[in-house]
Amino acid sequence: MSTSKFKRLIATEDYQRIIGLYTHWKINLTDKQLNRVLKLKNKKEGEQWKV
């Protein structure tokens, strides 16, 4: 996926939707882009555990 499209996707979509699109072969991500989405996922889930 091109960088500009990926930045727009990150800004507009939730990480769960992006992962869903990727696992259902709707979008292609590079390893770097996938790692960025997974880091975002881990950050968001980590915030849920904070009290």
Side-chain angles (χ1 to χ4, degrees):
M1 174 176 281
S2 69
T3 304
S4 61
K5 288 182 182 180
F6 178 70
K7 287 181 180 178
R8 192 174 329 123
L9 185 67
I10 286 286
T12 58
E13 294 291 336
D14 187 33
Y15 70 88
Q16 293 174 336
R17 175 132 170 86
I18 296 171
I19 293 171
L21 290 171
Y22 178 73
T23 57
H24 287 88
W25 298 96
K26 302 290 182 184
I27 59 172
N28 293 321
L29 299 175
T30 64
D31 289 337
K32 189 174 180 181
Q33 291 170 339
L34 184 58
N35 285 334
R36 185 171 171 194
V37 172
L38 292 176
K39 283 181 184 179
L40 178 65
K41 173 190 172 288
N42 291 336
K43 180 181 172 188
K44 295 286 185 177
E45 288 181 353
E47 290 174 356
Q48 292 177 355
W49 286 97
K50 292 181 182 176
V51 176

